[in-house]
Amino acid sequence: MMKLYSGTSCPFSHRCRIVLFEKGMDFEILDVDTHSMPEDLAVMNPYNEVPVLVERDLTLYESNIINEYIDERFPHPQLMPADPVMRARARLMLFNFERELFVHMKTLEDGAATKKTLDAARVAVRDSLTQIAPLFTKQKHMLGEEFSMLDVAIAPLLWRLEHYGIEMTKPLVPILKYAERLFSRQAFIDSLTPNEKAMRK
Ligand SMILES: N[C@@H](CCC(=O)N[C@@H](CS)C(=O)NCC(=O)O)C(=O)O
């Protein structure tokens, strides 16, 4: 059985929990307190971060790498596009998410960050989301009509917008409506930890 070492409020671990619940197979989630990492985690992941996935003699880290493995191991429902060109585009978009949005996560999660640094991260995230927002006046999900790995990758950030103090301006409305669609999925609801449930009223 797959075992996921998961931070209870970690947005990257949240991505992997969503995929596990979307696939609906047997797995075990081991809650990790990221403020006091268990010693064996550094052995499994040289960067000493969660999430970490263990299945028999395979140990994986990096949320997107873990998620692609789960998707290939349990192909239904398929979350990466089947077509190689679309698949390559999806990977590029996942990379762009990391560079434009998730790069700010460390600051937004850092209790000791200064207001100036925090505000700069909030504005950068809001501006990137504003650029994507018009897409959702035309389509239901990131890649079109179907739910995919792109929706999984961004959902934990959308869930945390209020928690991170990101201002909800009018141009964000289409992406906020899209976010509500993601949050209403049963797998998303099941993926939430008590800490994450407390992030939104
Ligand atoms: N790029 C990594 C990021 C993982 C990450 O940043 N995890 C944080 C928690 S959200 C962590 O484990 N931090 C440990 C620490 O700061 O000591 C991924 O996608 O999995």
Side-chain angles (χ1 to χ4, degrees), residues 10-12 15 34 37 48-51 62-64 98 106:
C10 166
F12 302 96
R15 284 176 171 168
T34 49
M37 288 289 208
N48 203 21
E49 291 177 339
V50 281
E62 278 298 316
S63 54
N64 287 333
E98 301 313 291
K106 258 201 165 55

Side-chain angles (χ1 to χ4, degrees), residues 161-175:
L161 290 181
E162 208 180 315
H163 174 69
Y164 290 151
I166 291 163
E167 198 192 346
M168 313 283 182
T169 50
K170 205 167 168 219
L172 285 181
V173 169
I175 207 165

Side-chain angles (χ1 to χ4, degrees), residues 184-195:
S184 68
R185 295 179 73 84
Q186 192 56 50
F188 185 90
I189 296 166
D190 294 340
S191 75
L192 292 169
T193 64
N195 282 354

